[in-house]
């Protein structure tokens, strides 16, 4: 049993790693290239990178559909495979589209790349997190999340260093080769993670068609679930919105070249790895909610340090802030993903995981667009790029503070009690109607 659990941890880690690798060139290189080398506005860059998250409702639809309608005896594997192939194809198209000489073809191919990656991300993420919730009970879910992120971060660190070397010196051809290499590795790792992971489904509850009305009832009937949904959007708008801004910030305020800004993700990943250990140690004596609260406070402080580094044009202080942010976001990610997996019911795993996944995607969308809008607006008003980024990171710090207030009302025990009470009431109503 221990070997089987270890194998499942590792395979889920491979799936998580594959999805993260498809996002690596977008969040760590293309964001900077489009903003600085290609001269696109910050709002347009953040819109393009955030656009795939418009497909966030797919996560709920796919999760709920897979709950009731397996394909070839498996509920999650087919959707993971579809998403993996779409995501890899989309990422591979992006460097080609951005450098096409024909304007119409450039727009079509680039948009197609972002759309395919977005569809793939939404199909895959809800499916493997639902699978993680089904394969492990509450006592093992935190460990599963930690292993998934540990494997992902190790790979991302190595990939970030490798891509950085491939882009020194930077050329469009080097960019294309680097992204294709990352996409190929992501495909291989993802396929390896799928083989033999999900057991065949032998029995299913009566089928219930997905509808957004069903999702609305599930969230509104459970006040804790509703609060957690809002909390996730606010929190992740802050901590994920900065993903597309760090590299352009370093390029424009600290004059870092492409290969240096690409390497920032590796440093960030090392801090994330350390955060995994810190989160695991903290959860031995503190609740997941307390750990998440401490991480958010650390994130507010980190944004303050990064803002100061930009205004002072002080690279050393920026690295201090980046380390602080990596630690804070790492601890927050582990604590909140563990909370997310606990905030499900056996009957509606895919539905709830889809809801939390949609919250994540909406947060990426709102965080990216908010950052781009505030950045461009403040730049036009102040004429100072350092001040514009200070406004952006300041807004994100305020959102983190708001998430701390919302988190006070999130309690897993209350959620489970409410869900259990609702389930009993439904069974009683069904029995009464049958008689």
């Amino acid at each position: 049993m221990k070997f089987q659990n270890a194998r499942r941890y590792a395979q889920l880690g491979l799936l998580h790693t594959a999805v993260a690798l498809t996002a690596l060139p977008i969040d760590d290189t293309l964001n900077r290239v489009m903003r600085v080398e290609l001269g696109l506005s910050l709002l347009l860059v953040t819109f393009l990178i955030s656009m795939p998250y418009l497909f966030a409702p797919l996560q709920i639809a796919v999760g709920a559909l897979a709950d009731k309608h397996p394909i070839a005896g498996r509920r999650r594997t087919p959707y993971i495979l579809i998403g993996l192939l779409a995501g890899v194809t989309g990422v591979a198209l992006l460097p080609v589209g951005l450098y096409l000489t024909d304007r119409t073809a450039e727009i079509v191919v680039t948009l197609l790349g972002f759309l395919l990656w977005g569809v793939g991300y939404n199909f895959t993420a809800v499916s493997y997190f639902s699978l993680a919730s089904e394969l492990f009970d509450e006592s093992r879910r935190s460990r599963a999340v930690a292993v998934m992120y540990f494997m992902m971060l190790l790979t991302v660190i190595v990939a970030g260093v490798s891509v950085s070397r491939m882009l020194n010196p930077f050329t469009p051809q080097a960019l294309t080769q680097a992204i294709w290499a990352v996409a190929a590795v992501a495909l291989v790792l993802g396929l390896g993670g799928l083989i033999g992971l999900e057991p065949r489904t032998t029995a299913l509850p009566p089928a219930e068609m997905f509808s957004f009305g069903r999702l609305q009832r599930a969230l509104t009937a459970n006040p804790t679930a509703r609060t957690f949904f809002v909390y996730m959007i606010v929190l992740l708008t802050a901590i994920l919105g900065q993903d597309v801004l760090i590299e352009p910030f370093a390029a424009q305020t600290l004059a870092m070249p492409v290969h240096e800004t690409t390497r920032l993700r590796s440093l960030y990943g090392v801090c994330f790895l350390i955060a995994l250990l810190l989160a695991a140690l903290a959860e031995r004596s503190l609740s997941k909610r307390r750990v998440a609260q401490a991480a958010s406070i650390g994130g507010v402080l980190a944004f303050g340090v990064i803002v100061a580094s930009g205004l002072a044009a002080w690279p050393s202080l920026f690295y201090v802030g980046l380390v602080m942010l990596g630690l804070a976001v790492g601890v927050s990610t582990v604590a909140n993903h563990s909370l997310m997996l606990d905030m499900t019911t056996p009957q509606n795993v895919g539905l709830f995981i889809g809801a939390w996944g949609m919250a994540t995607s909406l947060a990426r969308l709102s965080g990216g667009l908010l950052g781009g809008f505030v950045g461009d607006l403040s730049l036009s008003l102040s004429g100072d790029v350092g001040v514009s980024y200070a406004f952006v990171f300041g807004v994100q710090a305020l959102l983190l503070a708001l998430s701390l207030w919302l988190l006070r009302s999130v309690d897993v025990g209350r959620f489970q009690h409410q869900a259990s009470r609702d389930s009993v009431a439904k069974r009683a109503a069904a029995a009464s109607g049958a008689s």
Side-chain angles (χ1 to χ4, degrees):
M1 187 64 179
K2 288 184 178 180
F3 172 78
Q4 184 183 51
N5 284 336
R7 179 179 62 83
R8 286 174 171 175
Y9 289 147
Q11 287 190 267
L12 284 168
L14 288 176
L15 292 175
H16 192 52
T17 299
V19 174
L21 282 178
T22 63
L24 178 69
I26 296 174
D27 289 340
D28 297 352
T29 305
L30 289 179
N31 57 342
R32 179 249 161 83
V33 169
M34 289 190 292
R35 176 70 178 113
V36 180
E37 275 68 30
L38 297 180
L40 303 182
S41 73
L42 187 60
L43 181 59
L44 179 57
V45 171
T46 54
F47 171 75
L48 288 172
I49 292 176
S50 304
M51 185 175 59
Y53 304 113
L54 290 170
F55 293 96
L58 274 177
Q59 293 205 28
I60 304 175
V62 170
L65 183 66
D67 281 344
K68 309 296 182 181
H69 302 285
I71 299 175
R74 289 175 174 81
R75 293 197 285 183
R76 313 299 175 189
T77 300
Y79 299 98
I80 295 173
L81 180 60
I82 293 170
L84 179 66
L85 294 175
V88 167
T89 302
V91 171
L93 285 175
L94 289 176
V96 177
L98 286 172
Y99 285 100
L100 288 173
T101 54
D102 182 87
R103 186 65 172 173
T104 302
E106 176 190 7
I107 294 172
V108 170
V109 175
T110 301
L111 288 178
L112 179 62
F114 278 115
L115 293 177
L116 281 174
W117 180 79
V119 170
Y121 169 83
N122 286 291
F123 264 71
T124 308
V126 63
S127 300
Y128 71 71
F129 273 118
S130 296
L131 187 55
S133 186
E134 291 169 338
L135 292 177
F136 301 107
D137 59 24
E138 183 177 344
S139 64
R140 291 185 174 90
R141 287 172 186 161
S142 292
R143 186 179 305 172
V145 171
V147 170
M148 289 163 67
Y149 275 93
F150 183 83
M151 292 179 62
M152 179 269 286
L153 288 164
L154 275 181
T155 307
V156 165
I157 290 168
V158 174
V161 173
S162 300
V163 171
S164 173
R165 291 178 177 174
M166 294 178 72
L167 295 179
N168 187 19
F170 173 80
T171 64
Q173 293 75 21
L175 178 67
T176 301
Q177 292 172 1
I179 291 179
W180 284 2
V182 170
V185 172
L187 180 60
V188 171
L189 294 182
L191 292 176
L194 277 180
I195 298 173
L197 175 59
E198 182 183 10
R200 293 183 67 87
T201 300
T202 56
L204 290 170
E208 181 180 356
M209 291 300 294
F210 164 77
S211 69
F212 282 98
R214 181 183 163 205
L215 170 66
Q216 183 180 9
R217 290 192 299 272
L219 292 178
T220 56
N222 194 313
T224 305
R226 184 172 61 248
T227 301
F228 186 69
F229 184 83
V230 177
Y231 160 74
M232 288 279 283
I233 291 178
V234 173
L235 171 77
L236 297 175
T237 295
I239 66 174
L240 297 179
Q242 54 81 25
D243 272 356
V244 300
L245 299 173
I246 289 294
E247 288 78 14
F249 168 82
Q252 292 187 282
T253 64
L254 303 173
M256 291 186 181
V258 174
H259 69 276
E260 284 189 25
T261 56
T262 299
R263 197 177 298 152
L264 293 176
R265 185 60 54 173
S266 296
L267 173 61
Y268 188 82
V270 171
C271 298
F272 214 123
L273 280 176
I274 297 172
L276 293 179
L277 176 61
L278 294 176
L281 292 174
E283 285 189 8
R284 293 181 180 180
S285 55
L286 297 173
S287 68
K288 295 172 184 176
R289 184 170 61 176
R290 293 295 185 191
V291 175
Q293 288 172 330
S296 292
I297 293 172
V300 172
L301 296 175
F303 280 130
V305 173
I306 290 174
V307 166
S309 74
L311 295 176
W314 190 357
S316 298
L317 187 61
F318 166 72
Y319 281 110
V320 171
L322 187 64
V323 168
M324 291 174 62
L325 186 62
L327 293 173
V329 174
V331 173
S332 177
T333 298
V334 173
N336 284 292
H337 271 79
S338 296
L339 276 175
M340 179 188 77
L341 294 179
D342 291 343
M343 299 280 283
T344 63
T345 63
Q347 300 81 13
N348 291 310
V349 172
L351 179 67
F352 277 109
I353 294 293
W356 312 147
M358 187 178 78
T360 301
S361 294
L362 288 175
R364 285 185 178 273
L365 176 64
S366 60
L369 294 180
L370 180 65
F373 174 76
V374 173
D376 279 350
L377 178 62
S378 56
L379 179 61
S380 66
L381 294 176
S382 68
D384 188 308
V385 69
V387 170
S388 70
Y389 281 109
F391 271 104
V392 174
F393 292 133
V395 169
Q396 291 172 337
L398 289 175
L399 289 174
L400 273 181
L402 175 60
S403 75
L404 281 167
W405 179 77
L406 290 169
L407 186 56
R408 298 183 308 167
S409 302
V410 174
D411 183 88
V412 173
R414 189 184 304 133
F415 168 84
Q416 296 292 352
H417 174 73
Q418 291 165 344
S420 176
R421 183 186 60 194
D422 293 341
S423 179
V424 169
K426 286 181 180 178
R427 288 199 298 268
S432 175
S435 62

